[in-house]
Structure formats: structure tokens, C-alpha cells
């Protein structure tokens, strides 16, 4: 029941947005900027021609970008000397910034649960393995996936 109420609320918001975008009144001074890191989940009605003037696609980060993202998210983490962000950026090919952030969060949680004072390369590898399993285990990439 809870999921259906949430789904209904999301559909109501989507319908309201579509109605505002297609409204009868001109919205000359209104600019709509939308962003998502999951474009495959967007309702096709949102992308119908005439709704948005431009669609800008930002590609996934390259190897240098992934390394920089690791460094940003791990900046305040106590790291073992063997943690190699260059190697991590190689094995996370195809990862988004959000997925790299999820890896670093998992690393911290695993280190805390083990009771160690520094995050090790093995923690990063375990977290990447976990995220990989989640990425490969996704069977439904449609909009209903958002609701359970």
C-alpha cells in the first residue's frame, strides 16, 4: 500500500510538470532545468519534442575523473598507505560519480564494522565488488524499479 501511494504521488507530480510545460499560457521568463543520473528511468512523455529546448548529456567520468572523484570522497578518510586511487580508477571503468561515492561510503562502513583505524585497499575492492554485484543484478531498469 505504501509503495502505491508513493507511486501515485510521483505520477501526480509528473502530470503537474507536464501540464505546466504544455500549458496554454506563455512562460517567457521561466526556465526549467532538469537533471538525472538515471535517464533510462525517465518517462518518455517528458522527452517529447518541444518540451525541452536542449538536452545536454554529460558522459561518465574518464579514468582521471574517477581518480579525482575518489580523492574528493576519501579526503577525510584515514587511509592505509597501500590505497592506490589510480588502480581504483582503472577497475571502476563505467562508474558514475554517484557510484564512486557509494563505494567510498561502503569502504568507511566496512572499516568501522571491522574496528580498524584505517581504510585499506581490500576495503575498496570489497566495496567495488558489492557495487558491481548490484549493477549486474538489476533486472528491471524501467520506472517501476524506483518503487520497489
Amino acid at each position: 500500500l505504501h509503495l502505491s501511494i508513493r507511486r501515485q504521488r510521483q505520477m501526480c507530480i509528473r502530470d503537474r510538470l507536464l501540464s505546466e510545460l504544455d500549458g496554454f499560457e506563455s512562460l517567457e521568463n521561466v526556465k526549467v532545468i532538469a537533471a538525472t543520473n538515471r535517464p533510462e528511468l525517465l518517462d518518455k512523455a517528458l522527452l517529447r519534442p518541444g518540451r525541452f529546448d536542449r538536452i545536454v548529456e554529460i558522459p561518465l567520468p574518464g579514468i582521471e575523473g574517477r581518480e579525482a572523484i575518489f580523492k574528493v570522497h576519501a579526503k577525510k578518510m584515514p587511509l592505509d598507505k597501500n590505497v592506490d586511487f589510480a588502480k581504483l580508477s582503472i577497475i571502476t571503468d563505467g562508474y558514475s560519480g554517484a557510484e564512486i561515492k557509494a563505494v567510498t561510503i561502503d569502504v568507511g562502513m566496512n572499516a568501522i564494522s571491522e574496528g580498524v583505524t584505517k581504510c585499506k585497499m581490500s576495503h575498496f575492492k570489497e566495496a567495488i565488488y558489492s557495487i558491481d554485484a548490484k549493477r549486474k543484478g538489476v533486472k528491471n531498469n524501467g520506472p517501476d524499479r524506483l518503487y520497489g
Side-chain angles (χ1 to χ4, degrees):
L1 180 67
H2 176 67
L3 289 176
S4 65
I5 292 171
R6 199 165 77 193
R7 171 97 170 133
Q8 188 175 12
R9 186 179 318 133
Q10 293 291 329
M11 289 172 61
C12 184
I13 291 169
R14 182 209 56 209
D15 292 345
R16 176 64 188 221
L17 175 63
L18 291 175
S19 129
E20 290 294 329
L21 288 172
D22 295 341
F24 293 109
E25 294 179 30
S26 175
L27 301 174
E28 294 175 23
N29 293 323
V30 175
K31 307 294 183 216
V32 176
I33 298 174
T36 182
N37 62 348
R38 297 295 308 271
E40 71 275 9
L41 298 180
L42 289 176
D43 190 307
K44 300 300 179 214
L46 282 171
L47 301 176
R48 196 177 79 213
R51 291 229 162 103
F52 292 100
D53 291 337
R54 291 184 195 104
I55 296 177
V56 179
E57 188 172 328
I58 299 171
L60 292 171
I63 192 166
E64 295 87 10
R66 291 190 303 275
E67 185 174 351
I69 294 167
F70 270 115
K71 288 177 180 177
V72 165
H73 290 297
K75 184 170 56 175
K76 295 183 180 180
M77 297 172 76
L79 300 174
D80 191 66
K81 64 181 183 214
N82 71 345
V83 173
D84 185 343
F85 292 122
K87 285 182 183 176
L88 292 171
S89 66
I90 291 169
I91 61 176
T92 53
D93 185 38
Y95 273 47
S96 68
E99 288 170 319
I100 293 171
K101 180 180 179 181
V103 166
T104 59
I105 290 170
D106 280 1
V107 165
M109 298 303 284
N110 290 340
I112 289 169
S113 68
E114 286 181 18
V116 296
T117 58
K118 292 190 177 187
C119 300
K120 302 174 186 168
M121 191 69 166
S122 60
H123 293 124
F124 280 92
K125 289 180 179 178
E126 288 170 24
I128 290 167
Y129 178 79
S130 173
I131 298 295
D132 275 345
K134 290 176 186 173
R135 292 171 92 216
K136 291 174 183 158
V138 174
K139 291 181 176 65
N140 176 12
N141 272 333
D144 289 335
R145 182 177 176 279
L146 290 174
Y147 309 103

